[in-house]
Amino acid sequence: MTANWKRERLRSRLLLAALLGGLSLLTACSNHFGPGLAELAADRGWQPLPIGSWVVNDGLEPRTIVYCAGAHCVRPAVAALIAVEGRKADEFERGLATDPARLAREFSKPVDAAKGTKPRRATATIKSTTSVSRFDGGGPSGLLVEIRGKGETGLLAATAILYGREAGKLVMAIAVSNDGEAAQNYARAAWRSR
């Protein structure tokens, strides 16, 4: 048990170091930072990330992206406000409004070989489970996607998405954390800060 605990602690530290190193590299690549989020403020450990053109896919308008890691945060997380308009907004909204079980299947599908990535072998063991559920966003629609590792660790990655229409655009508050409840709370805070 002690060896496993030490190994998990080392893995946790390495992942955090990689995250911080990547964030530092991204920060050096762009000077365009978003305005931050009022409820996820810098004095509570939340730092804005650059949102230059490298973040944008066609039709997406990133408004702000913030992250919190280290001693200031109870849970490490990333939160963002993104807007989409036109046909792309309609597609996103339809996708988010569909059946949660269907979305879970979509997240769990093997990678498509036609897109240049290796397909999952048919005999491969499944190492995680994906669940998608609705949650109360306090006004906007809420969706929670949780991916939990199987086995002793049971590591979790949770993404909470709040979405609604404003001035013809689909606005999404997205938060990612290692805890489903924290992700929901951060998404709500991002939504209220828009």
Short mmCIF file of all heavy atoms in Angstrom, two decimals, residues 53-115:
data_model
loop_
_atom_site.label_atom_id
_atom_site.label_comp_id
_atom_site.label_asym_id
_atom_site.label_seq_id
_atom_site.Cartn_x
_atom_site.Cartn_y
_atom_site.Cartn_z
N SER A 53 -5.60 33.64 -31.26
CA SER A 53 -6.19 32.87 -32.34
C SER A 53 -5.90 31.37 -32.24
O SER A 53 -6.60 30.57 -32.83
CB SER A 53 -5.69 33.39 -33.68
OG SER A 53 -4.29 33.24 -33.75
N TRP A 54 -4.91 30.95 -31.48
CA TRP A 54 -4.62 29.52 -31.35
C TRP A 54 -5.72 28.77 -30.63
O TRP A 54 -5.86 27.57 -30.77
CB TRP A 54 -3.27 29.31 -30.65
CG TRP A 54 -3.25 29.85 -29.25
CD1 TRP A 54 -2.86 31.09 -28.86
CD2 TRP A 54 -3.65 29.18 -28.05
NE1 TRP A 54 -3.01 31.24 -27.51
CE2 TRP A 54 -3.48 30.09 -26.98
CE3 TRP A 54 -4.14 27.91 -27.77
CZ2 TRP A 54 -3.79 29.76 -25.67
CZ3 TRP A 54 -4.44 27.59 -26.46
CH2 TRP A 54 -4.27 28.51 -25.43
N VAL A 55 -6.55 29.45 -29.86
CA VAL A 55 -7.63 28.80 -29.14
C VAL A 55 -8.86 28.63 -30.02
O VAL A 55 -9.65 27.73 -29.83
CB VAL A 55 -8.02 29.63 -27.88
CG1 VAL A 55 -9.25 29.07 -27.21
CG2 VAL A 55 -6.87 29.68 -26.91
N VAL A 56 -9.01 29.46 -31.00
CA VAL A 56 -10.27 29.56 -31.73
C VAL A 56 -10.36 28.53 -32.84
O VAL A 56 -9.50 28.43 -33.69
CB VAL A 56 -10.41 30.98 -32.33
CG1 VAL A 56 -11.73 31.10 -33.08
CG2 VAL A 56 -10.34 32.02 -31.24
N ASN A 57 -11.45 27.77 -32.83
CA ASN A 57 -11.86 26.98 -33.97
C ASN A 57 -12.82 27.86 -34.74
O ASN A 57 -13.40 28.78 -34.19
CB ASN A 57 -12.57 25.70 -33.53
CG ASN A 57 -11.61 24.73 -32.87
OD1 ASN A 57 -10.44 24.70 -33.22
ND2 ASN A 57 -12.10 23.96 -31.93
N ASP A 58 -13.02 27.57 -36.01
CA ASP A 58 -13.92 28.38 -36.82
C ASP A 58 -15.28 28.50 -36.15
O ASP A 58 -15.88 27.51 -35.76
CB ASP A 58 -14.10 27.77 -38.21
CG ASP A 58 -12.85 27.92 -39.05
OD1 ASP A 58 -12.04 28.81 -38.75
OD2 ASP A 58 -12.68 27.13 -39.99
N GLY A 59 -15.74 29.73 -35.99
CA GLY A 59 -17.05 29.98 -35.43
C GLY A 59 -17.09 30.11 -33.93
O GLY A 59 -18.11 30.48 -33.37
N LEU A 60 -16.01 29.82 -33.22
CA LEU A 60 -15.98 29.95 -31.75
C LEU A 60 -15.39 31.28 -31.35
O LEU A 60 -14.42 31.75 -31.92
CB LEU A 60 -15.13 28.84 -31.12
CG LEU A 60 -15.67 27.43 -31.18
CD1 LEU A 60 -14.69 26.49 -30.50
CD2 LEU A 60 -17.02 27.32 -30.54
N GLU A 61 -15.98 31.88 -30.35
CA GLU A 61 -15.50 33.14 -29.79
C GLU A 61 -15.16 32.92 -28.32
O GLU A 61 -16.03 32.96 -27.46
CB GLU A 61 -16.61 34.20 -29.91
CG GLU A 61 -16.31 35.50 -29.22
CD GLU A 61 -17.56 36.37 -29.08
OE1 GLU A 61 -18.44 36.32 -29.95
OE2 GLU A 61 -17.64 37.07 -28.06
N PRO A 62 -13.88 32.67 -28.01
CA PRO A 62 -13.53 32.51 -26.59
C PRO A 62 -13.56 33.88 -25.92
O PRO A 62 -12.92 34.82 -26.38
CB PRO A 62 -12.13 31.93 -26.62
CG PRO A 62 -11.56 32.41 -27.91
CD PRO A 62 -12.71 32.55 -28.86
N ARG A 63 -14.31 34.00 -24.86
CA ARG A 63 -14.38 35.28 -24.16
C ARG A 63 -13.33 35.37 -23.07
O ARG A 63 -12.71 36.39 -22.89
CB ARG A 63 -15.78 35.47 -23.59
CG ARG A 63 -16.81 35.63 -24.69
CD ARG A 63 -18.15 35.97 -24.18
NE ARG A 63 -19.07 36.20 -25.29
CZ ARG A 63 -20.34 36.40 -25.14
NH1 ARG A 63 -20.88 36.40 -23.93
NH2 ARG A 63 -21.10 36.61 -26.19
N THR A 64 -13.17 34.29 -22.33
CA THR A 64 -12.12 34.24 -21.32
C THR A 64 -11.91 32.80 -20.88
O THR A 64 -12.82 31.98 -20.93
CB THR A 64 -12.44 35.14 -20.10
OG1 THR A 64 -11.26 35.29 -19.31
CG2 THR A 64 -13.56 34.59 -19.26
N ILE A 65 -10.68 32.51 -20.48
CA ILE A 65 -10.31 31.19 -19.94
C ILE A 65 -9.44 31.45 -18.72
O ILE A 65 -8.48 32.21 -18.79
CB ILE A 65 -9.55 30.34 -20.96
CG1 ILE A 65 -10.38 30.14 -22.23
CG2 ILE A 65 -9.16 29.00 -20.36
CD1 ILE A 65 -9.63 29.48 -23.36
N VAL A 66 -9.79 30.82 -17.60
CA VAL A 66 -9.00 30.96 -16.37
C VAL A 66 -8.68 29.56 -15.82
O VAL A 66 -9.40 28.60 -16.10
CB VAL A 66 -9.74 31.79 -15.29
CG1 VAL A 66 -9.93 33.22 -15.76
CG2 VAL A 66 -11.06 31.17 -14.91
N TYR A 67 -7.60 29.48 -15.06
CA TYR A 67 -7.25 28.21 -14.42
C TYR A 67 -6.83 28.46 -12.99
O TYR A 67 -6.42 29.57 -12.62
CB TYR A 67 -6.13 27.49 -15.18
CG TYR A 67 -4.77 28.09 -14.96
CD1 TYR A 67 -3.91 27.55 -14.02
CD2 TYR A 67 -4.36 29.21 -15.67
CE1 TYR A 67 -2.66 28.11 -13.80
CE2 TYR A 67 -3.12 29.78 -15.46
CZ TYR A 67 -2.27 29.22 -14.51
OH TYR A 67 -1.04 29.78 -14.30
N CYS A 68 -6.92 27.43 -12.19
CA CYS A 68 -6.49 27.51 -10.80
C CYS A 68 -5.81 26.19 -10.46
O CYS A 68 -6.38 25.12 -10.66
CB CYS A 68 -7.68 27.74 -9.87
SG CYS A 68 -7.19 28.20 -8.21
N ALA A 69 -4.59 26.26 -9.98
CA ALA A 69 -3.84 25.06 -9.60
C ALA A 69 -2.96 25.40 -8.40
O ALA A 69 -2.66 26.56 -8.15
CB ALA A 69 -2.97 24.58 -10.76
N GLY A 70 -2.60 24.40 -7.66
CA GLY A 70 -1.69 24.62 -6.54
C GLY A 70 -2.39 24.90 -5.24
O GLY A 70 -3.57 24.60 -5.05
N ALA A 71 -1.69 25.52 -4.33
CA ALA A 71 -2.15 25.72 -2.96
C ALA A 71 -3.37 26.62 -2.84
O ALA A 71 -4.14 26.49 -1.90
CB ALA A 71 -1.01 26.31 -2.12
N HIS A 72 -3.58 27.53 -3.78
CA HIS A 72 -4.72 28.45 -3.69
C HIS A 72 -6.07 27.78 -3.93
O HIS A 72 -7.10 28.30 -3.55
CB HIS A 72 -4.57 29.59 -4.71
CG HIS A 72 -3.51 30.56 -4.33
ND1 HIS A 72 -2.27 30.54 -4.92
CD2 HIS A 72 -3.49 31.55 -3.42
CE1 HIS A 72 -1.54 31.50 -4.38
NE2 HIS A 72 -2.25 32.12 -3.47
N CYS A 73 -6.05 26.64 -4.59
CA CYS A 73 -7.31 26.02 -5.02
C CYS A 73 -7.57 24.72 -4.28
O CYS A 73 -6.68 23.90 -4.13
CB CYS A 73 -7.27 25.73 -6.51
SG CYS A 73 -7.09 27.22 -7.46
N VAL A 74 -8.82 24.56 -3.85
CA VAL A 74 -9.21 23.31 -3.23
C VAL A 74 -9.14 22.20 -4.27
O VAL A 74 -8.66 21.11 -3.99
CB VAL A 74 -10.65 23.42 -2.67
CG1 VAL A 74 -11.13 22.10 -2.14
CG2 VAL A 74 -10.72 24.50 -1.61
N ARG A 75 -9.59 22.48 -5.47
CA ARG A 75 -9.56 21.55 -6.59
C ARG A 75 -8.92 22.24 -7.79
O ARG A 75 -9.32 23.34 -8.14
CB ARG A 75 -10.96 21.13 -7.00
CG ARG A 75 -11.74 20.42 -5.94
CD ARG A 75 -11.45 18.95 -6.02
NE ARG A 75 -12.29 18.24 -5.07
CZ ARG A 75 -11.91 17.12 -4.51
NH1 ARG A 75 -10.77 16.60 -4.81
NH2 ARG A 75 -12.69 16.52 -3.66
N PRO A 76 -7.93 21.62 -8.44
CA PRO A 76 -7.39 22.22 -9.66
C PRO A 76 -8.47 22.23 -10.72
O PRO A 76 -9.26 21.30 -10.82
CB PRO A 76 -6.23 21.30 -10.04
CG PRO A 76 -6.48 20.03 -9.33
CD PRO A 76 -7.30 20.35 -8.12
N ALA A 77 -8.55 23.32 -11.51
CA ALA A 77 -9.62 23.43 -12.49
C ALA A 77 -9.29 24.44 -13.57
O ALA A 77 -8.41 25.28 -13.40
CB ALA A 77 -10.92 23.83 -11.79
N VAL A 78 -10.06 24.35 -14.65
CA VAL A 78 -10.04 25.32 -15.74
C VAL A 78 -11.49 25.71 -15.98
O VAL A 78 -12.38 24.86 -15.96
CB VAL A 78 -9.44 24.72 -17.02
CG1 VAL A 78 -9.55 25.68 -18.19
CG2 VAL A 78 -8.00 24.32 -16.81
N ALA A 79 -11.75 27.00 -16.21
CA ALA A 79 -13.11 27.47 -16.51
C ALA A 79 -13.03 28.42 -17.70
O ALA A 79 -12.04 29.14 -17.86
CB ALA A 79 -13.72 28.19 -15.31
N ALA A 80 -14.06 28.40 -18.54
CA ALA A 80 -14.06 29.23 -19.74
C ALA A 80 -15.46 29.70 -20.08
O ALA A 80 -16.45 29.04 -19.75
CB ALA A 80 -13.49 28.44 -20.91
N LEU A 81 -15.52 30.84 -20.74
CA LEU A 81 -16.74 31.35 -21.36
C LEU A 81 -16.49 31.39 -22.85
O LEU A 81 -15.50 31.98 -23.30
CB LEU A 81 -17.08 32.75 -20.88
CG LEU A 81 -17.84 32.87 -19.58
CD1 LEU A 81 -17.99 34.33 -19.17
CD2 LEU A 81 -19.20 32.21 -19.68
N ILE A 82 -17.38 30.75 -23.61
CA ILE A 82 -17.24 30.67 -25.06
C ILE A 82 -18.58 30.99 -25.69
O ILE A 82 -19.62 30.57 -25.18
CB ILE A 82 -16.77 29.26 -25.47
CG1 ILE A 82 -15.40 28.98 -24.87
CG2 ILE A 82 -16.74 29.10 -26.98
CD1 ILE A 82 -14.91 27.57 -25.04
N ALA A 83 -18.58 31.71 -26.80
CA ALA A 83 -19.81 32.01 -27.53
C ALA A 83 -19.69 31.46 -28.95
O ALA A 83 -18.59 31.39 -29.52
CB ALA A 83 -20.06 33.51 -27.56
N VAL A 84 -20.82 31.08 -29.49
CA VAL A 84 -20.89 30.55 -30.86
C VAL A 84 -22.13 31.16 -31.50
O VAL A 84 -23.15 31.34 -30.84
CB VAL A 84 -21.03 29.01 -30.85
CG1 VAL A 84 -20.94 28.45 -32.25
CG2 VAL A 84 -20.00 28.36 -29.95
N GLU A 85 -22.05 31.45 -32.80
CA GLU A 85 -23.23 31.98 -33.47
C GLU A 85 -23.48 31.26 -34.78
O GLU A 85 -22.65 30.49 -35.25
CB GLU A 85 -23.11 33.49 -33.69
CG GLU A 85 -21.96 33.94 -34.54
CD GLU A 85 -21.86 35.45 -34.60
OE1 GLU A 85 -22.88 36.14 -34.49
OE2 GLU A 85 -20.74 35.94 -34.76
N GLY A 86 -24.64 31.52 -35.36
CA GLY A 86 -24.99 30.96 -36.66
C GLY A 86 -25.27 29.47 -36.62
O GLY A 86 -25.74 28.91 -35.64
N ARG A 87 -24.96 28.84 -37.74
CA ARG A 87 -25.20 27.40 -37.91
C ARG A 87 -24.43 26.58 -36.88
O ARG A 87 -24.93 25.59 -36.36
CB ARG A 87 -24.82 26.98 -39.32
CG ARG A 87 -25.20 25.55 -39.62
CD ARG A 87 -24.87 25.17 -41.02
NE ARG A 87 -25.52 26.13 -41.92
CZ ARG A 87 -25.37 26.13 -43.23
NH1 ARG A 87 -24.60 25.24 -43.80
NH2 ARG A 87 -25.98 27.01 -43.98
N LYS A 88 -23.23 27.00 -36.58
CA LYS A 88 -22.40 26.29 -35.60
C LYS A 88 -23.09 26.29 -34.22
O LYS A 88 -23.08 25.28 -33.53
CB LYS A 88 -21.02 26.94 -35.52
CG LYS A 88 -20.02 26.20 -34.67
CD LYS A 88 -19.44 25.04 -35.39
CE LYS A 88 -18.04 25.31 -35.85
NZ LYS A 88 -17.51 24.12 -36.52
N ALA A 89 -23.70 27.41 -33.85
CA ALA A 89 -24.42 27.50 -32.58
C ALA A 89 -25.59 26.52 -32.56
O ALA A 89 -25.83 25.85 -31.54
CB ALA A 89 -24.92 28.92 -32.33
N ASP A 90 -26.31 26.42 -33.66
CA ASP A 90 -27.43 25.49 -33.75
C ASP A 90 -26.95 24.06 -33.59
O ASP A 90 -27.58 23.25 -32.88
CB ASP A 90 -28.17 25.65 -35.08
CG ASP A 90 -28.82 27.02 -35.24
OD1 ASP A 90 -29.08 27.69 -34.20
OD2 ASP A 90 -29.07 27.42 -36.38
N GLU A 91 -25.84 23.71 -34.23
CA GLU A 91 -25.27 22.37 -34.12
C GLU A 91 -24.86 22.05 -32.68
O GLU A 91 -25.15 20.97 -32.17
CB GLU A 91 -24.07 22.23 -35.05
CG GLU A 91 -24.40 22.23 -36.51
CD GLU A 91 -23.15 22.27 -37.38
OE1 GLU A 91 -22.03 21.99 -36.89
OE2 GLU A 91 -23.29 22.60 -38.58
N PHE A 92 -24.17 22.99 -32.04
CA PHE A 92 -23.75 22.80 -30.66
C PHE A 92 -24.95 22.61 -29.75
O PHE A 92 -24.98 21.71 -28.91
CB PHE A 92 -22.93 23.99 -30.16
CG PHE A 92 -21.46 23.90 -30.44
CD1 PHE A 92 -20.99 23.86 -31.73
CD2 PHE A 92 -20.55 23.89 -29.41
CE1 PHE A 92 -19.63 23.79 -31.99
CE2 PHE A 92 -19.19 23.82 -29.65
CZ PHE A 92 -18.73 23.77 -30.95
N GLU A 93 -25.95 23.46 -29.91
CA GLU A 93 -27.12 23.40 -29.05
C GLU A 93 -27.87 22.07 -29.21
O GLU A 93 -28.28 21.47 -28.23
CB GLU A 93 -28.05 24.58 -29.34
CG GLU A 93 -29.12 24.76 -28.29
CD GLU A 93 -29.82 26.10 -28.43
OE1 GLU A 93 -29.91 26.63 -29.56
OE2 GLU A 93 -30.30 26.61 -27.41
N ARG A 94 -28.02 21.61 -30.46
CA ARG A 94 -28.66 20.31 -30.69
C ARG A 94 -27.86 19.19 -30.02
O ARG A 94 -28.42 18.30 -29.40
CB ARG A 94 -28.77 20.03 -32.19
CG ARG A 94 -30.08 20.43 -32.79
CD ARG A 94 -30.27 19.87 -34.19
NE ARG A 94 -29.16 20.08 -35.11
CZ ARG A 94 -28.97 21.17 -35.84
NH1 ARG A 94 -29.81 22.19 -35.74
NH2 ARG A 94 -27.95 21.26 -36.65
N GLY A 95 -26.54 19.24 -30.16
CA GLY A 95 -25.69 18.22 -29.55
C GLY A 95 -25.79 18.20 -28.04
O GLY A 95 -25.85 17.14 -27.42
N LEU A 96 -25.83 19.37 -27.43
CA LEU A 96 -25.92 19.45 -25.97
C LEU A 96 -27.31 19.08 -25.45
O LEU A 96 -27.46 18.63 -24.33
CB LEU A 96 -25.56 20.87 -25.51
CG LEU A 96 -24.10 21.26 -25.70
CD1 LEU A 96 -23.92 22.76 -25.48
CD2 LEU A 96 -23.19 20.47 -24.79
N ALA A 97 -28.34 19.28 -26.28
CA ALA A 97 -29.71 19.02 -25.84
C ALA A 97 -30.14 17.57 -26.06
O ALA A 97 -31.21 17.19 -25.62
CB ALA A 97 -30.67 19.96 -26.57
N THR A 98 -29.33 16.77 -26.74
CA THR A 98 -29.72 15.39 -27.01
C THR A 98 -29.66 14.53 -25.76
O THR A 98 -29.24 14.97 -24.70
CB THR A 98 -28.83 14.76 -28.10
OG1 THR A 98 -27.48 14.78 -27.66
CG2 THR A 98 -28.98 15.47 -29.43
N ASP A 99 -30.05 13.30 -25.94
CA ASP A 99 -30.11 12.32 -24.87
C ASP A 99 -28.73 12.12 -24.22
O ASP A 99 -27.76 11.80 -24.91
CB ASP A 99 -30.61 11.01 -25.47
CG ASP A 99 -30.69 9.89 -24.48
OD1 ASP A 99 -30.92 10.16 -23.29
OD2 ASP A 99 -30.53 8.73 -24.90
N PRO A 100 -28.63 12.25 -22.88
CA PRO A 100 -27.34 12.06 -22.20
C PRO A 100 -26.70 10.70 -22.44
O PRO A 100 -25.48 10.60 -22.58
CB PRO A 100 -27.69 12.25 -20.72
CG PRO A 100 -28.88 13.13 -20.72
CD PRO A 100 -29.66 12.73 -21.95
N ALA A 101 -27.50 9.65 -22.54
CA ALA A 101 -26.93 8.31 -22.79
C ALA A 101 -26.25 8.27 -24.15
O ALA A 101 -25.18 7.66 -24.31
CB ALA A 101 -28.02 7.25 -22.70
N ARG A 102 -26.83 8.94 -25.14
CA ARG A 102 -26.22 8.99 -26.48
C ARG A 102 -24.89 9.75 -26.43
O ARG A 102 -23.91 9.35 -27.04
CB ARG A 102 -27.18 9.67 -27.45
CG ARG A 102 -26.64 9.73 -28.87
CD ARG A 102 -27.66 10.43 -29.78
NE ARG A 102 -27.03 10.90 -30.98
CZ ARG A 102 -26.32 12.03 -31.10
NH1 ARG A 102 -26.14 12.80 -30.06
NH2 ARG A 102 -25.78 12.38 -32.24
N LEU A 103 -24.87 10.86 -25.68
CA LEU A 103 -23.62 11.61 -25.55
C LEU A 103 -22.53 10.78 -24.87
O LEU A 103 -21.37 10.83 -25.27
CB LEU A 103 -23.86 12.90 -24.77
CG LEU A 103 -24.60 14.00 -25.52
CD1 LEU A 103 -24.92 15.15 -24.59
CD2 LEU A 103 -23.79 14.48 -26.70
N ALA A 104 -22.90 10.02 -23.86
CA ALA A 104 -21.93 9.16 -23.18
C ALA A 104 -21.34 8.15 -24.16
O ALA A 104 -20.13 7.90 -24.16
CB ALA A 104 -22.57 8.45 -21.99
N ARG A 105 -22.19 7.58 -25.02
CA ARG A 105 -21.69 6.63 -26.03
C ARG A 105 -20.74 7.34 -26.99
O ARG A 105 -19.73 6.78 -27.39
CB ARG A 105 -22.85 6.00 -26.78
CG ARG A 105 -23.61 4.97 -25.98
CD ARG A 105 -24.60 4.18 -26.83
NE ARG A 105 -25.57 5.00 -27.55
CZ ARG A 105 -26.72 5.43 -27.04
NH1 ARG A 105 -27.05 5.13 -25.80
NH2 ARG A 105 -27.53 6.16 -27.78
N GLU A 106 -21.08 8.58 -27.38
CA GLU A 106 -20.21 9.33 -28.29
C GLU A 106 -18.84 9.59 -27.67
O GLU A 106 -17.82 9.47 -28.33
CB GLU A 106 -20.87 10.65 -28.71
CG GLU A 106 -22.08 10.48 -29.60
CD GLU A 106 -21.75 9.87 -30.94
OE1 GLU A 106 -20.69 10.19 -31.52
OE2 GLU A 106 -22.56 9.06 -31.42
N PHE A 107 -18.82 9.96 -26.39
CA PHE A 107 -17.54 10.21 -25.71
C PHE A 107 -16.72 8.93 -25.60
O PHE A 107 -15.50 8.97 -25.57
CB PHE A 107 -17.78 10.77 -24.30
CG PHE A 107 -17.88 12.26 -24.25
CD1 PHE A 107 -19.12 12.89 -24.36
CD2 PHE A 107 -16.76 13.04 -24.09
CE1 PHE A 107 -19.22 14.27 -24.31
CE2 PHE A 107 -16.85 14.41 -24.04
CZ PHE A 107 -18.08 15.03 -24.15
N SER A 108 -17.39 7.78 -25.51
CA SER A 108 -16.71 6.51 -25.27
C SER A 108 -16.31 5.78 -26.54
O SER A 108 -15.65 4.75 -26.47
CB SER A 108 -17.63 5.58 -24.46
OG SER A 108 -17.96 6.18 -23.25
N LYS A 109 -16.69 6.29 -27.71
CA LYS A 109 -16.38 5.62 -28.97
C LYS A 109 -14.88 5.53 -29.20
O LYS A 109 -14.14 6.45 -28.86
CB LYS A 109 -17.01 6.37 -30.14
CG LYS A 109 -18.42 6.01 -30.43
CD LYS A 109 -18.86 6.69 -31.69
CE LYS A 109 -20.29 6.33 -32.02
NZ LYS A 109 -20.74 7.04 -33.22
N PRO A 110 -14.45 4.44 -29.87
CA PRO A 110 -13.03 4.35 -30.26
C PRO A 110 -12.69 5.46 -31.26
O PRO A 110 -13.56 5.97 -31.96
CB PRO A 110 -12.93 2.99 -30.94
CG PRO A 110 -14.16 2.25 -30.54
CD PRO A 110 -15.21 3.27 -30.22
N VAL A 111 -11.43 5.78 -31.32
CA VAL A 111 -10.95 6.81 -32.24
C VAL A 111 -11.11 6.31 -33.67
O VAL A 111 -10.86 5.14 -33.97
CB VAL A 111 -9.48 7.14 -31.92
CG1 VAL A 111 -8.92 8.14 -32.91
CG2 VAL A 111 -9.37 7.64 -30.51
N ASP A 112 -11.49 7.18 -34.58
CA ASP A 112 -11.71 6.84 -35.98
C ASP A 112 -10.39 6.78 -36.72
O ASP A 112 -9.64 7.76 -36.79
CB ASP A 112 -12.62 7.90 -36.60
CG ASP A 112 -13.03 7.56 -38.02
OD1 ASP A 112 -12.56 6.53 -38.56
OD2 ASP A 112 -13.81 8.34 -38.59
N ALA A 113 -10.10 5.63 -37.34
CA ALA A 113 -8.86 5.45 -38.08
C ALA A 113 -8.80 6.35 -39.31
O ALA A 113 -7.73 6.74 -39.76
CB ALA A 113 -8.70 3.99 -38.48
N ALA A 114 -9.96 6.70 -39.88
CA ALA A 114 -9.98 7.55 -41.08
C ALA A 114 -9.47 8.95 -40.78
O ALA A 114 -9.08 9.67 -41.68
CB ALA A 114 -11.42 7.62 -41.62
N LYS A 115 -9.46 9.34 -39.53
CA LYS A 115 -8.98 10.68 -39.16
C LYS A 115 -7.49 10.69 -38.85
O LYS A 115 -6.98 11.65 -38.32
CB LYS A 115 -9.78 11.20 -37.96
CG LYS A 115 -11.24 11.43 -38.30
CD LYS A 115 -11.99 11.98 -37.13
CE LYS A 115 -13.44 12.19 -37.50
NZ LYS A 115 -14.24 12.61 -36.37
#
